[in-house]
Amino acid sequence: MDTVVVKLVNVSKNYKDKTIIKDFNLEVYEKEFLTILGPSGCGKTTILRMISGLEHVSGGNILLDGVDVTNVIASKREVNTIFQNFALFSHMNVEDNIAFGLKMKKVDKEKIKVEVEKMLDLVKLKGYNKKYPNQLSGGEQQRVAIARGLINSPKVLLLDEPLSSLDYKLKKEMQVELKRLQKKLGITFIYVTHNQEEALSMSDRILILDKQKKQQLGKPMDIYNNPNNKFVADFIGESNIFRAKVVKIVDKYAYVEIDFAKKIRIINKDYKINDDIYIMIRPENITIGNYLKENSIEVKVKEVIYNGSVSRVIALFGNKEIKINVKNSDKVNLKEDITISFNTKNICSFVK
Amino acid sequence: MKKENKFFKYLSLFPISFYVIVLILLPLIYIFCLSFLTSDYYGGINYSLTLSNYLNLVDLVYIKLFIKSFLIALVSTFICICIAYPFVIFVSQKKKIVKNIIMTLVMVPFLTNSLIRTYGWIVLLRKTGIVNTFLEDLNVISSPISFIYNDFGIILGMVYTLLPFMILPLFSAVDKIDKSVIEASYDLGSTSFKTFFNIIVPQTKVGLFNGSLMVFIPAIGYFFIADLLGGGKLMLIGNLIKNQFLSARNWPFGAAVSISLVLITFGLVKIYQKIGGKMDDLGGF
């Protein structure tokens, strides 16, 4: 897990006078599934296209397996891309589409045949050799695109929102499929998406990008449980975020005040008295009932939404809506005043 | 209600039906019938049936003429393809507004009569024309080059006049190719050269054949270009037909040549359909 396959050093990209990416650094390890996650326009696709060579860099260097490929053209880089709209060659059948990369390398015909069969087997499309892309469903086209990208055995496979055009069920299926393929082949995947669910379920590490800047890089669980800042907390999963002011520090704890002078105990991260910070609590970490004196607030139930295994209670704290997940919604009545509480270790805090 | 609909349907179809029947179909039938009649000495028509007009065509002189016409049309078409492809690929990468401006410019020459534009070439390229005088003054050449009044002149005229008919269908085909498909080709290790032949050409083959047809067919029939730039001594099928009707006054023979040309054209359109072209694409861009 420690060999670096892709390294971006101070990479920048400008479009005319607009900065898309500035001084961007990233190391991607061998056999890793890295997801670049961010809202549209954050520059994530540009990063992918610069790694593939389809976009020039305006500054900085890109290293592939330790070799500087900054000025190497796309066709000579040992990376392959899966495009958002699959970009299959509509005038070629499945076999020829998949074989394209090897044909360009002038591999001999017999070997190509064997490799294509292997790929068809891998993506579960045996017997589809002679079909044309327009005869395939979205999911099947996706598999052809993946097979076509993998046949060159690239050092890195780049995936640019490959699941965004599939329907919900297929999306779920392909998520499992992609993860399986990546594990089986041991190829590094760099996956770009704006869908946090995809990111959380597939990735070894997630890089969160917003406003051209790296917001956080880490394992999915770390990012979910310990977001660095308000953007990440808000973007990943569901959250209740409060403005707070530090009023007291005792040992490793800090006491903060939120609206209505409510005092909450959090874990101190080098805060000073009077610091303005944010605290965040996930809906599933809130309990109804008052069993912790310092971390409880009074709220009024506004809505109860039955959701199957977990129900959602929306409660009002002043004007602020608080989202709470409860297993059993029977005990909660509309318009009722209730007390909710949360554990100190489940509260995240950050400065901005 | 139903009756009213039908009335409007027929009313709106009337102009185009009139055009097709009176101006295309009837003359064609007339020419077809004419080709089986005999001509008399004074340029009139004898109403006696014969196949001799078609049999006369099977003569080395005319076969050579057909072959030459086809070769010139073929070379002109090929040159048009060679010019049009790089051009449309270049234009298709531009922004939408730039694309529209350039494609409008391609059509601007249509605003001037093509006969006048062909005369323009004579002014430029004849022995005492601008190009020859200029080159002589620069001492690049010692005696004037014969640019026109030969095959080169005819092909130049054909390519110049017919190039837009290649560019327009080819542009609409190339412009439709998804940019990511081209990128996928590069990404998979293909060079620009291979991408052109493996991806761009196959994906635009309908536009290519469409354009070729629209250059090739007129190139056989454009007699005025051969008349002006070929100096009148080099005949193509178009000139033969024109001469039979206007100077030799052998209408039945001219009609037979015309019908042969129509049949050959039909054959080409059939081939076009066979390779998967749609008839709609021949008309509109």
Side-chain angles (χ1 to χ4, degrees), chain A residues 6-208:
Chain A
V6 181
K7 190 170 178 178
L8 278 72
V9 188
N10 293 327
V11 168
S12 323
K13 176 75 190 174
N14 309 314
Y15 252 138
K16 284 168 189 161
D17 47 358
K18 218 178 128 205
T19 309
I20 311 275
I21 293 291
K22 207 181 162 204
D23 294 332
F24 185 81
N25 289 291
L26 178 66
E27 285 186 349
V28 187
Y29 302 115
E30 200 174 18
K31 297 181 182 174
E32 180 181 32
F33 197 125
L34 178 90
T35 300
I36 305 178
L37 177 67
S40 50
C42 69
K44 56 192 191 298
T45 297
T46 308
I47 293 173
L48 205 68
R49 289 172 59 83
M50 287 194 291
I51 298 173
S52 70
L54 293 169
E55 203 87 62
H56 295 292
V57 297
S58 309
N61 295 79
I62 294 173
L63 280 76
L64 195 63
D65 238 3
V67 183
D68 191 326
V69 294
T70 315
N71 295 315
V72 175
I73 55 168
S75 56
K76 298 263 182 280
R77 291 193 194 179
E78 283 181 77
V79 291
N80 286 120
T81 307
I82 309 294
F83 292 85
Q84 189 168 1
N85 58 355
F86 316 144
L88 295 179
F89 306 133
S90 55
H91 61 287
M92 293 183 191
N93 59 28
V94 168
E95 194 175 76
D96 290 339
N97 261 290
I98 297 176
F100 190 82
L102 292 183
K103 271 187 195 154
M104 291 303 115
K105 277 190 187 165
K106 299 210 171 84
V107 175
D108 70 58
K109 281 198 177 122
E110 286 307 308
K111 190 157 181 254
I112 291 181
K113 227 174 187 169
V114 176
E115 287 295 315
V116 167
E117 283 307 318
K118 241 194 244 169
M119 280 297 145
L120 283 170
D121 194 31
L122 190 71
V123 296
K124 299 177 180 162
L125 281 181
K126 257 195 170 332
Y128 278 66
N129 304 44
K130 301 292 174 201
K131 288 207 176 183
Y132 281 84
N134 61 5
Q135 297 169 305
L136 304 178
S137 70
E140 288 163 349
Q141 289 184 22
Q142 172 76 83
R143 286 160 195 270
V144 176
I146 292 168
R148 188 179 68 174
L150 286 174
I151 201 164
N152 277 343
S153 19
K155 291 196 172 115
V156 182
L157 191 71
L158 308 171
L159 302 101
D160 185 6
E161 309 217 13
L163 305 183
S164 60
S165 60
L166 303 180
D167 63 47
Y168 182 76
K169 203 169 159 235
L170 211 53
K171 211 180 260 190
K172 285 274 181 197
E173 245 175 75
M174 287 307 294
Q175 281 178 21
V176 178
E177 192 75 21
L178 277 174
K179 187 71 200 168
R180 178 186 71 89
L181 277 175
Q182 192 261 338
K183 274 256 150 58
K184 188 169 172 184
L185 298 168
I187 291 178
T188 306
F189 276 33
I190 303 180
Y191 188 98
V192 158
T193 184
H194 62 264
N195 182 326
Q196 47 139 325
E197 189 199 319
E198 276 171 34
L200 288 172
S201 65
M202 292 191 284
S203 323
D204 295 322
R205 283 195 305 162
I206 300 176
L207 166 71
I208 295 179

Side-chain angles (χ1 to χ4, degrees), chain B residues 21-33:
Chain B
I21 292 169
V22 177
L23 298 176
I24 298 179
L25 191 62
L26 290 181
L28 207 58
I29 291 170
Y30 175 66
I31 294 284
F32 182 75
C33 297

